[in-house]
Amino acid sequence: MTEHADWSEPEPAATPASTAVTPADAADAARLVAFGLQPKLQPARDQEYADLLRRYREDPPFARLADAVATGLGLIVLEVSPRAGMAVTAAEDSVFAVRMGDYARRTSADGGDRFLHGLAHLAVAAMAFPRPEDLADDGYIGRVTVNGVDAFVRQACHRLEERAAEQGENTDPATDTPGLEAAWRIWSRRSATGATKDARRLAGSTTGIVAKAVSFLTDSGFLQRTGDDNGGTYRTTARYQLQVRDMAGGAAMAELLGLGVVPVTDGTPTLLPPEDGDALDLVADAGLPFHSA
């Protein structure tokens, strides 16, 4: 009797070797992340960067590889697009993270000033995107000035002191007391420009602290300097908008909103003119912008 061979279905073809991750792919993914760590670099001005961004959008395996490289470096990918490039931010445990304590020590021997430096950054973000719709609109460009940010903080401080007085709370906390509200009050005690005869801006003055903040943000690709008026004028970049979106749910921003300093409204003005500007120790030509619908 003749036996018939029992032929099974042919096995699926092996995955082509071309789809496997190669050292060249890993190098390209790392290169893309490296571009993302150069925040001032614009994809439109670098062909290799633009090509890698296009590959990220069109090649899902490559995109996953680039995301994995970023994650391994302690980076969070906020967006990958022609407008922002590969926008990344550092996680708290990343080697690329900038600690506010380290940042403050670069500018002052007084470690207590870290609250003021942190407040300056928070105020810049609040003024750059004063309304939720501004932060959500990809086409929105915020504009801030050094003197305007200082004026905004002093106005807010004045409101907080009035509220504390009405509620019978302590209006003179210790200078080393942590907490956002204490920092706003400490700000009001600090000179706006310094004690020099020609009123030159000192690093430890409040406008000096703001100037340091916007300079750091400019060096980081978050702001672009547009002029010298009002202590320096700046416009926001797509990367900064993404960064502020990422921090919008943080405790500091939540506390800022809770204090009523930057009220969420229906589009009516959110930064109001001070009732008595002379009482707030504002620098001349503070340039405080008043936003309306």
Side-chain angles (χ1 to χ4, degrees), residues 1 18 30 72 88 101 114 126 146 148 150 155 187 189 191 208 229 235 238 246 256 283:
M1 181 175 64
S18 59
V88 297
R114 66 183 182 274
V146 169
D150 180 57
Q155 179 190 358
W187 189 286
R189 302 186 185 130
S191 170
D229 295 338
R235 57 177 284 174
D246 185 61
L256 180 63
V283 295

Side-chain angles (χ1 to χ4, degrees), residues 226-274:
T226 58
D228 298 327
D229 295 338
N230 300 315
T233 59
Y234 299 81
R235 57 177 284 174
T236 60
T237 66
R239 279 177 171 261
Y240 190 49
Q241 187 178 51
L242 293 170
Q243 186 80 9
V244 176
R245 283 179 188 171
D246 185 61
M247 67 175 279
M253 186 64 79
E255 188 176 352
L256 180 63
L257 291 172
L259 290 173
V261 174
V262 185
V264 177
T265 70
D266 58 0
T268 53
T270 58
L271 299 176
L272 304 177

